[in-house]
Amino acid sequence: MKTITLRDGKERSLLRRHPWVFQGSVAKGKADPGETVRVESADGRFLAWAAFSPSSQIRVRAWTFDEAERVDEAFFARRIQAALALRGQLGIDSDGVRLIHGEADGLPGLIVDRYGDLLSAQFLSAGTERFKQAIADALVAATGCQALYERSDSGVRQMEGLEPVTGWLRTPASGAPSTEVTIREHGWRLTLDVAEGHKTGYYLDQRDNRKLFADLVRQMGLKTALNCYSYTGGFSVAALAGGAEHVTSVDSSAPALARAGAHITLNGFDASRHTAMDADVNGALRQFIKEGRRFDAIILDPPKFAPSAAHADRASRAYKDINRLAFKLLEPGGLLMTYSCSGGIGAELFHKIVAGAGMDAYVDGYLIKRLEASPDHPTTINYPEGEYLKGLAIVRR
């Protein structure tokens, strides 16, 4: 087994059970992409068994901190079983579930979602790429799902020196099924395509926030809703399910808006209660202000503006601008649920950004709830970077 030796003092993160070692912390040692290596401190103490990535700034990702544990097929089977056991305890009201959430489940670089009887996976690190076939076998054995689709087309793979890969990894004996799936979520029906949809096919991390939105719309008696960056309209369905009379979905993807419209009718709502706008959100918000329009409820769920802390300043300005515009459009007593999925924007900074947007719009509000990803997207106490999705539910004063 090859050994990676860290610089003096750089062992602290691994001693805290944080799974990453950056390039600058490595004193010596090399290995092939994804190869399992022994990581030692400068004085020769064992720290972890890990996957080596010669192309990434994250040079080492720890598999295990137990020197006696071996990283083999049985290791991945155990980790997958443990992750599934947690999800089984959560009482998730959906057949769309995040089964494996990377570092939080002790499997850095592996994302697996289950949509009904179909699995959709992303292998985003050199380590998971090297063990892909063993992981695929373990997933099929643990879940009983015979259909496993690979969506390893994220830009993260480029940082690992890996090419994008998509397609079926495992199929039933009867042949590959359709990549189109219908899932149940809180009594609603939603469709997705694992081959074409964002991420692994859908945004399961917002599942509980969609339910909360429906509940608040109902409890507060809100009648008009605006869903910005609506994608395929999950929050739009939630608004109507909560009793809103009309919802407007704004997105720059015509196919996503078409699916949003289909979701409205699929769930039994009159199509006239939904308006789809193929437009830039920033421009649409400004146009609504010019027209003097107001909304009782607004969702702001933009894409990742800051992929890393290096982009935080520019992203902060973008987040502030859209939140300022949203505040101006929100009726007094109305609800704003605003989010950031940027890892480079922490929860405290995001709160400050939204507060600044409110000041610029001359609007104050009650912060009624801090928002995060659904519990099947866990964060561990040793890996705070996993808390990527953060949000605020605000009632305008």
Side-chain angles (χ1 to χ4, degrees):
M1 193 71 66
K2 295 175 182 175
T3 298
I4 303 298
T5 303
L6 304 189
R7 298 182 187 278
D8 188 29
K10 296 300 183 179
E11 72 279 2
R12 295 189 186 97
S13 63
L14 290 179
L15 290 174
R16 294 195 307 268
R17 300 298 180 96
H18 191 287
W20 293 353
V21 174
F22 287 90
Q23 176 185 7
S25 297
V26 175
K28 62 180 180 179
K30 294 181 180 180
D32 295 333
E35 187 175 358
T36 301
V37 295
R38 178 187 175 94
V39 185
E40 294 183 348
S41 62
D43 59 6
R45 286 176 294 159
F46 171 84
L47 296 171
W49 297 112
F52 188 78
S53 179
S55 299
S56 176
Q57 289 296 312
I58 305 174
R59 192 53 50 95
V60 171
R61 288 179 169 84
W63 290 125
T64 178
F65 302 95
D66 181 355
E67 187 173 5
E69 190 168 25
R70 290 293 173 261
V71 180
D72 53 17
E73 288 83 354
F75 168 85
F76 291 102
R78 289 193 302 272
R79 288 288 167 94
I80 289 169
Q81 287 286 2
L84 267 59
L86 171 65
R87 275 63 179 185
Q89 296 173 325
L90 296 177
I92 298 169
D93 188 16
S94 175
D95 55 2
V97 181
R98 170 63 53 91
L99 297 182
I100 309 291
H101 193 54
E103 282 82 351
D105 287 304
L107 294 167
L110 179 64
I111 300 295
V112 183
D113 289 333
R114 178 171 184 164
Y115 301 110
D117 292 329
L118 190 153
L119 302 177
S120 183
Q122 293 180 311
F123 298 82
L124 303 177
S125 65
T128 56
E129 179 71 17
R130 190 178 184 94
F131 285 99
K132 183 187 294 184
Q133 299 306 321
I135 291 170
D137 288 342
L139 285 168
V140 169
T143 64
C145 296
Q146 300 299 309
L148 170 57
Y149 196 87
E150 181 176 3
R151 279 296 306 272
S152 301
D153 52 357
S154 168
V156 175
R157 276 178 65 92
Q158 297 178 9
M159 301 177 189
E160 293 285 303
L162 302 172
E163 294 295 323
V165 179
T166 62
W168 291 106
L169 261 180
R170 297 290 185 273
T171 57
S174 57
S178 172
T179 56
E180 185 91 10
V181 186
T182 299
I183 62 171
R184 174 190 53 79
E185 179 179 292
H186 303 302
W188 314 322
R189 288 185 295 166
L190 301 167
T191 67
L192 60 105
D193 190 328
V194 294
E196 302 293 338
H198 291 180
K199 299 173 80 172
T200 67
Y202 195 57
Y203 291 99
L204 295 176
D205 51 3
Q206 290 282 28
R207 180 197 315 107
D208 289 0
N209 291 325
R210 287 188 282 267
K211 178 62 163 57
L212 175 64
F213 186 55
D215 291 344
L216 290 174
V217 167
R218 181 181 301 106
Q219 294 165 16
M220 298 171 65
L222 307 177
K223 299 304 179 186
T224 58
L226 173 63
N227 183 9
C228 300
Y229 309 97
S230 63
Y231 189 44
T232 60
F235 278 108
S236 300
V237 170
L240 296 178
E245 295 175 354
H246 190 272
V247 60
T248 300
S249 301
V250 183
D251 200 278
S252 58
S253 168
L257 287 170
R259 193 177 288 269
H263 283 157
I264 300 301
T265 55
L266 178 64
N267 286 279
F269 301 113
D270 192 321
S272 66
R273 296 171 63 189
H274 178 247
T275 297
M277 287 186 60
D278 186 349
D280 170 72
V281 166
N282 196 291
L285 295 178
R286 294 176 188 278
Q287 184 61 38
F288 289 151
I289 291 172
K290 288 182 181 179
E291 295 171 357
R293 295 185 63 179
R294 291 288 189 93
F295 298 89
D296 296 327
I298 299 177
I299 293 289
L300 282 181
D301 187 19
K304 187 184 297 184
F305 287 166
S308 68
H311 300 84
D313 287 344
R314 184 176 63 184
S316 295
R317 292 191 292 271
Y319 283 121
K320 185 177 182 181
D321 196 36
I322 59 171
N323 279 278
R324 177 181 62 83
L325 297 172
F327 275 126
K328 289 187 173 184
L329 289 166
L330 191 64
E331 290 278 12
L335 171 69
L336 170 65
M337 289 176 66
T338 180
Y339 299 92
S340 165
C341 63
S342 296
I345 302 290
E348 183 178 357
L349 175 56
F350 185 61
H351 188 163
K352 290 179 179 179
I353 292 169
V354 176
M359 291 180 63
D360 287 357
Y362 302 101
V363 169
D364 196 3
Y366 299 103
L367 175 58
I368 61 171
K369 190 174 181 61
R370 296 185 182 275
L371 308 168
E372 58 188 3
S374 300
D376 51 342
H377 297 64
T379 301
T380 65
I381 58 176
N382 295 321
Y383 179 64
E385 292 88 344
E387 191 176 5
Y388 68 99
L389 181 65
K390 70 287 298 181
L392 303 170
I394 300 166
V395 175
R396 177 176 173 175
R397 293 181 63 182

